[in-house]
Amino acid sequence: MTANEAEQDTRARRSAAARGAARTLHRSPLHIPLTERLSALAAAAPEVVGADEATDVYGDGVVATLEEEVARLLGKEAAVFFPTGTMAQQVALRCWAGRTGNATVALHPKAHPELHEGDAFTAVSGLRTVHPTDEPRLPTAGEVREFPEPFGALMLELPLRDAGFVLPDWEELEAVVEAARERDAIVHIDGARLWECTPHFGRPLREIAGLADTVYVSFYKSLEGLSGAALAGPRTLVEEARMWRHRYGGQLFQQFPAAVSALLGLKHVLPRLPAYVAHARVVAEALREGFAAAGLPWSRVHPERPHTHQFQVWLPYASEVLDEASLGQAEETKTFLFGRWFADGPPGLSATEVTVTEEGLDWTADDVKEAVAEFVRRLPR
């Protein structure tokens, strides 16, 4: 079996194990059959749209309703729907580059555009990126203030996913924004997962978003929508972004399934996120205690107290060893504790991402420790 075939086999096993799990911390919509998702969407749609409402055409109707709701939640003048966050952020930052006269964007090297978008900022939008810090956290006010070259925009990913879904303190965030303002730079928030940041900051969405000139939010990463994103900010920039959306090929004829699922996510999932964050902290502590009780030579839960309902777990084993232990546990016990593991850092060290959502709320700390003991039992010692 080739490496590619082995990876495909592992992915298929993981998907089947997730679908068949009786207990899991997070049941991803990706593991729900297509027809079941369509049926659920159709059944729930009357909660957010009128029975006789027409489908959208090029962004009117339910799409416009969604845009108005996002603008209201974030306290911005206007918002525009995009099919992807990659497109939304490219458009936002090229619009700002035109206004500031500076196409340089300061952001973290672990930010989504740097790792997961094929160098799109540069290749497609003519933007240049610089990094005020390469520490596994967002830049400090001092790093922003003292960076040796000009930049037109500071982009802050809240939370910084690839560093462990980490967030600064509120006072640190305010200071970073003020430092950017001192340099006459605009501030853009990559808020793909902004929805779950309110417990950490102790501030409402409007106040968090109010620090930035523009904000991008995703509808599927936390809200369990089908797809799509929105860009919110000043009305004049949003209207300019609509034109660029069309130029980028994002002016879709109809988008009502994504828009309806997003509105349902705002109605049902958004209010539940603080509970997920609170319980993620219970789960993280139980994982840490469980690994210690199992006698592992080393383990790490990062952050120790999760900033959102997602966090990382690090263990001193090869990723394929941990994948096999995770899959074996899920297949044999129907308890899906960990998903995919990936190599990160020095050789022999691997990490996984843990997400706690509705199904995870049923887990007690003892349930987590019991599952950890079963998982560790499957590791070579």
Side-chain angles (χ1 to χ4, degrees), residues 1-13 324:
M1 182 181 293
T2 67
N4 185 56
E5 289 172 336
E7 173 59 28
Q8 290 179 341
D9 178 67
T10 299
R11 187 181 299 119
R13 286 178 62 196
E324 189 57 40

Side-chain angles (χ1 to χ4, degrees), residues 171-224:
E171 293 74 17
E172 292 171 337
L173 181 59
E174 286 185 309
V176 167
V177 169
E178 178 59 30
R181 303 287 188 215
E182 291 172 9
R183 300 186 58 137
D184 296 322
I186 69 95
V187 177
H188 171 77
I189 288 178
D190 175 341
R193 297 172 173 84
L194 186 69
W195 310 112
E196 60 264 36
C197 293
T198 55
H200 176 83
F201 289 130
R203 300 291 194 283
L205 282 168
R206 293 172 66 93
E207 190 171 351
I208 301 169
L211 292 178
D213 298 280
T214 47
V215 180
Y216 138 70
V217 289
S218 173
F219 297 125
Y220 74 90
K221 288 187 170 69
S222 301
L223 298 182
E224 301 179 7

Side-chain angles (χ1 to χ4, degrees), residues 24-26 279 283 356-364:
T24 180
L25 291 168
H26 166 60
H279 202 61
V283 171
V356 178
T357 54
E358 194 65 35
E359 298 218 3
L361 299 182
D362 292 334
W363 290 56
T364 66

